[in-house]
Amino acid sequence: MAQTETKKISAVARYLKDFSVLKETRREYWGLQAINVLDSTAYFAMVNIAVVCFSEDFGFSDEHSGYIFTLFSSVTTLLLFVSGVVTDWLGIKKATYISMVGQVVLCLAVAMAGYMEESGTRDAIVVGSLLLMAPFAAMVQTLFQAGNKRFTTKRSRGAGFNLWYLFMNVGAAASGFAIDVFFLELGLPRFHIFTLAVVLRVVSIGVTWLTIKRTDQLYGPGEEPAAAPDDGAQKPWHIMKKVVSDRIFWRFVALISLLLGVRAVFVYLSLLHPKFWLRVIGEDARIGTLQALNPVLVMIGLILFVPLLSRFSVYKMLVGGAIITSLSMFIQAIPPMGGYDLGEWTYGTTVAFLLVLTVGELIWSPRLHEYTAAVAPEGQEGTYFGLAMVPLFGAKTIVSVVSGHMLARWCPEGIGDRMRAGEVGFWDSPYAMWIILGSIALVGSLAALALKDWFTEGLALEPSSQSGDGGD
């Protein structure tokens, strides 16, 4: 037993020591991570409270709130097909400026609309701003990934992506706490989350100006620069043509498409859970703190848990983590037992759900990003990342369309009081919703497991380079 504990400590120590390779990076990498924290705080705060804000501050129904979010997600999805190409074409620095300035202007428009009287004009401003925000959101998704690769060496890339993922979760956790501070402690209207986004992205513009000076690929000792492609190959249409002819890339896209139900679980945290908590626990539910729990656990797990998992192959981590994430959904479907109050029970099952969800996420999510970076040729990082994320945003689109209808069917206004009075059957309650969604995620994960040989044929899916000393 003592020997096992010593091995675990040794794995963690090696993992932490491996971060020392980041001393090879330039200030551009650290500037990008500062922007990552700021933008993640703004982005997650917005998406985590958006559907509640649309209903309570702007008067949209559950269904219409879902449609608005659908508009944002679906347009972002479509633009991901080209945003990576545009990011590669513009360069990381210009893409950062453009994406941040665009989001400042549009978030400010939504915040100002919150002070307007109810009217068609106000509705048009809110919906139009979300629509116009989509291309800038898509560009951010690709420029971070391209920058993480561009500003790290081959030796430091694994540590660089782990630290990027850690900083993203710092921002996600901060966004949850900000939500509760704004609305429970300060009593501000929920639309002021867009005001927070304006401030954070203005700061991001300043950080870009101060830190991002060079955008060429960083090479470590002994690393050879790749041969520069000719000018024609760098044109957007040539980049796209080369990518879509890559058989390995499309097999990878097929795999992550099969896992859409799993990746959609994280969409539920923004579209379904906020209203589920408010309507089942009560209006004083600390929805921001609950949303912050997942990124906080991720930050802890990245230090204590990930080193022990880096011994296994990418595919095993992807599918194994997907199955665990799928199973986490069923925890929320357990009705109160032992005389527990509905609100207290829901807090408890939510915490248990988030704990299991985080374990699954830690297993597959960081390595997914690192793997995509590994297969992307130099100069095409943004294109690969953009197209690789299309299935996730496609899942967001589907879930957004039906989210309002799911809430109206299984978690309408007043459901908490009716459940406490014993007036709601299991299959008419929110528990049925979690059973259905969990089953969809689990079926896709099991199918990916069954098709392992096809998905791994001809691919060198080795264990992670960081802190891994074991085999498959």
Side-chain angles (χ1 to χ4, degrees):
M1 183 68 177
Q3 186 177 8
T4 301
E5 291 299 321
T6 301
K7 288 183 178 179
K8 290 181 179 179
I9 294 172
S10 176
V12 174
R14 289 197 307 272
Y15 178 74
L16 295 175
K17 184 179 178 180
D18 282 347
F19 280 104
S20 64
V21 300
L22 290 174
K23 65 185 179 183
E24 296 178 356
T25 60
R26 298 190 297 257
R27 65 178 174 182
E28 282 79 7
Y29 173 79
W30 300 104
L32 191 72
Q33 301 319 310
I35 297 168
N36 179 21
V37 173
L38 294 165
D39 184 78
S40 294
T41 302
Y43 175 79
F44 285 109
M46 181 188 77
V47 299
N48 285 343
I49 204 68
V51 292
V52 178
C53 174
F54 296 153
S55 294
E56 297 194 1
D57 291 342
F58 297 110
F60 294 103
S61 66
D62 285 347
E63 292 86 350
H64 287 154
S65 295
Y67 296 155
I68 296 171
F69 203 90
T70 298
L71 184 66
F72 173 73
S73 296
S74 60
V75 175
T76 302
T77 301
L78 293 173
L79 292 174
L80 274 172
F81 281 102
V82 297
S83 68
V85 178
V86 173
T87 298
D88 291 338
W89 180 50
L90 288 173
I92 294 171
K93 187 173 182 178
K94 287 182 180 178
T96 304
Y97 278 131
I98 291 171
S99 62
M100 293 300 160
V101 170
Q103 291 182 98
V104 165
V105 172
L106 295 166
C107 286
L108 183 61
V110 177
M112 293 177 64
Y115 289 103
M116 298 174 61
E117 295 292 331
E118 183 175 350
S119 65
T121 301
R122 185 184 71 171
D123 293 349
I125 290 174
V126 173
V127 176
S129 296
L130 265 293
L131 173 62
L132 294 174
M133 207 179 297
F136 303 111
M139 190 178 294
V140 169
Q141 296 294 329
T142 54
L143 73 85
F144 278 144
Q145 305 308 314
N148 283 333
K149 182 176 181 180
R150 192 71 59 82
F151 300 149
T152 57
T153 63
K154 289 182 180 178
R155 195 164 73 96
S156 65
R157 192 147 300 143
F161 271 87
N162 279 336
L163 200 61
W164 161 78
Y165 194 66
L166 176 65
F167 284 146
M168 182 190 73
N169 280 280
V170 169
S175 72
F177 295 125
I179 288 170
D180 283 349
V181 169
F182 270 48
F183 312 125
L184 295 182
E185 307 301 332
L186 300 180
L188 295 172
R190 287 187 168 87
F191 67 78
H192 274 301
I193 211 66
F194 289 92
T195 305
L196 174 65
V198 170
V199 174
L200 293 175
R201 282 164 176 147
V202 167
V203 176
S204 295
I205 293 171
V207 173
T208 303
W209 181 76
L210 289 172
T211 63
I212 300 182
K213 305 296 184 180
R214 297 176 56 183
T215 59
D216 55 307
Q217 176 64 53
L218 180 65
Y219 295 100
E223 294 179 6
E224 294 292 334
D230 59 62
D231 291 339
Q234 288 301 296
K235 295 185 183 298
W237 50 90
H238 286 287
I239 296 174
M240 182 68 75
K241 182 179 179 180
K242 188 172 182 179
V243 168
V244 298
S245 64
D246 189 337
R247 180 170 176 264
I248 292 177
F249 174 82
W250 286 111
R251 187 185 297 175
F252 176 67
V253 170
L255 172 62
I256 58 178
S257 297
L258 193 59
L259 300 178
L260 285 182
V262 175
R263 308 196 79 185
V265 174
F266 299 93
V267 184
Y268 307 149
L269 289 172
S270 300
L271 290 176
L272 299 178
H273 282 91
K275 289 185 177 180
F276 165 69
W277 291 325
L278 287 171
R279 293 172 182 181
V280 174
I281 297 174
E283 286 297 318
D284 60 347
R286 303 192 71 86
I287 59 176
T289 300
L290 290 173
Q291 287 170 324
L293 182 58
N294 169 248
V296 168
L297 292 171
V298 167
M299 288 187 281
I300 296 172
L302 284 172
I303 302 300
L304 301 179
F305 195 34
V306 167
L308 307 178
L309 296 172
S310 60
R311 300 173 62 251
F312 302 97
S313 72
V314 171
Y315 196 88
K316 283 188 175 181
M317 287 195 287
L318 281 173
V319 178
I323 292 173
I324 293 172
T325 299
S326 302
L327 293 174
S328 71
M329 293 289 291
F330 295 94
I331 297 174
Q332 302 170 103
I334 304 173
M337 296 183 290
Y340 278 93
D341 171 75
L342 179 61
E344 293 176 354
W345 181 265
T346 303
Y347 269 123
T349 54
T350 294
V351 170
F353 152 67
L354 291 171
L355 282 169
V356 178
L357 172 71
T358 303
V359 172
E361 179 183 2
L362 285 167
I363 291 173
W364 63 265
S365 192
R367 296 288 78 78
L368 175 63
H369 294 288
E370 185 181 353
Y371 172 76
T372 310
V375 301
E378 185 175 345
Q380 297 175 18
E381 300 93 344
T383 305
Y384 266 68
F385 283 112
L387 291 175
M389 286 186 287
V390 165
L392 172 59
F393 281 90
K396 284 186 177 182
T397 301
I398 296 170
V399 173
S400 300
V401 168
V402 301
S403 63
H405 295 278
M406 287 191 288
L407 289 168
R409 169 64 178 84
W410 287 292
C411 193
E413 290 279 3
I415 189 70
D417 292 337
R418 293 174 54 213
M419 291 171 69
R420 289 181 178 86
E423 300 174 356
V424 182
F426 182 88
W427 293 105
D428 291 319
S429 73
Y431 306 131
M433 180 172 66
W434 303 131
I435 288 280
I436 294 168
L437 296 175
S439 297
I440 293 172
L442 186 59
V443 167
S445 302
L446 294 176
L449 179 63
L451 295 171
K452 175 182 180 293
D453 291 341
W454 183 79
F455 278 119
T456 58
E457 180 185 355
L459 298 180
L461 298 179
E462 299 176 353
S464 170
S465 59
Q466 187 178 6
S467 299
D469 59 355
D472 192 31

